[in-house]
Amino acid sequence: EAGVAQSPRYKIIEKRQSVAFWCNPISGHATLYWYQQILGQGPKLLIQFQNNGVVDDSQLPKDRFSAERLKGVDSTLKIQPAKLEDSAVYLCASSLDPGPSYEQYFGPGTRLTVT
Amino acid sequence: GQQVMQIPQYQHVQEGEDFTTYCNSSTTLSNIQWYKQRPGGHPVFLIQLVKSGEVKKQKRLTFQFGEAKKNSSLHITATQTTDVGTYFCAGRRSNYQLIWGAGTKLIIKP
């Protein structure tokens, strides 16, 4: 079974530039999550999709971050414009269901450096 | 807001010593999951606890869920170099939202 795919793996941009990340979840997984993990901290949920609908985006900085999951499969996360504090690893995860019994499978992450 | 506090932030042990990390929630959780993240890697699911007072074992790892379903612990017996990494708890609220602890980093002293 293929895992969660993410690209790119690394990205370096200057502040005020834009960047986009892509995620393809495990086949058949209805729920997709985007997390931000700052060095030395735990993952912080940015947005959770079930199929192509948003379940939770309460911690997404909507003035600069946006995400979509067209057709309920793969997803993109965009930052525009980027700030220095956005430097982090952006993790995508998927699970069969958002219900309480389902573990999350994580992709390798995209390491973003904003200079 | 609801938080999951995890302690300690770091633990240095000699190889062969035991390791324990604790998670505490301000409110009752539906369940709690534990993940391990190796240096430079991504979180990998270890286990899920659902029932009050539940105890589960995986070889040298013992996981406990408190009677009030507000706290949990992970204990590793006789640590090995392969145990190095950061251990996260993630507590699930009744609305299915997963709240992550800050993690405990296990460091094996040379």
Side-chain angles (χ1 to χ4, degrees):
Chain A
E1 178 182 79
V4 176
Q6 287 188 249
S7 67
R9 292 294 311 276
Y10 305 91
K11 190 74 177 179
I12 301 174
I13 60 172
E14 295 182 351
K15 59 183 179 183
R16 292 187 289 274
Q17 286 187 324
S18 301
V19 65
F21 312 128
W22 175 83
C23 172
N24 187 252
I26 292 173
S27 178
H29 280 197
T31 307
L32 185 148
Y33 310 80
W34 282 103
Y35 287 92
Q36 179 192 60
Q37 187 174 27
I38 293 172
L39 187 64
Q41 298 183 16
K44 171 188 169 185
L45 179 68
L46 294 175
I47 190 166
Q48 177 182 338
F49 292 96
Q50 183 176 2
N51 297 311
N52 60 352
V54 175
V55 173
D56 182 2
D57 64 355
S58 56
Q59 298 191 91
L60 187 73
K62 298 180 183 67
D63 58 334
R64 298 184 301 108
F65 286 65
S66 65
E68 59 182 11
R69 191 184 183 196
L70 299 176
K71 302 179 182 178
V73 181
D74 56 356
S75 176
T76 54
L77 175 70
K78 296 179 182 177
I79 307 175
Q80 180 180 13
K83 293 185 176 181
L84 295 176
E85 58 260 36
D86 298 332
S87 294
V89 175
Y90 290 84
L91 294 163
C92 179
S94 71
S95 65
L96 274 173
D97 194 274
S101 301
Y102 294 98
E103 66 190 82
Q104 296 182 23
Y105 295 83
F106 284 82
T110 297
R111 183 175 298 276
L112 174 67
T113 303
V114 182
T115 62
Chain B
Q2 181 178 13
Q3 297 181 12
V4 172
M5 305 301 295
Q6 189 171 358
I7 57 170
Q9 187 177 4
Y10 302 94
Q11 189 164 3
H12 295 76
V13 300
Q14 297 278 5
E15 187 174 4
E17 292 182 337
D18 293 354
F19 162 85
T20 306
T21 173
Y22 301 90
C23 279
N24 292 288
S25 169
S26 54
T27 59
T28 302
L29 301 168
S30 297
N31 60 43
I32 194 158
Q33 297 179 346
W34 285 90
Y35 291 78
K36 176 183 178 181
Q37 186 172 25
R38 293 181 187 271
H42 56 274
V44 174
F45 177 82
L46 294 176
I47 209 159
Q48 176 170 274
L49 304 171
V50 179
K51 299 177 183 176
S52 169
E54 188 169 14
V55 178
K56 287 189 177 180
K57 293 190 175 184
Q58 288 180 351
K59 298 183 180 179
R60 296 177 294 104
L61 279 60
T62 301
F63 304 83
Q64 295 188 346
F65 200 12
E67 294 290 339
K69 300 183 72 173
K70 290 184 176 182
N71 56 73
S72 181
S73 64
L74 158 59
H75 180 83
I76 303 177
T77 304
T79 55
Q80 300 175 359
T81 55
T82 52
D83 296 325
V84 164
T86 301
Y87 293 83
F88 292 97
C89 63
R92 196 173 290 278
R93 299 169 66 176
S94 56
N95 65 354
Y96 297 168
Q97 186 180 40
L98 205 60
I99 308 295
W100 289 69
T104 296
K105 190 172 185 178
L106 170 58
I107 299 162
I108 305 283
K109 298 178 194 176

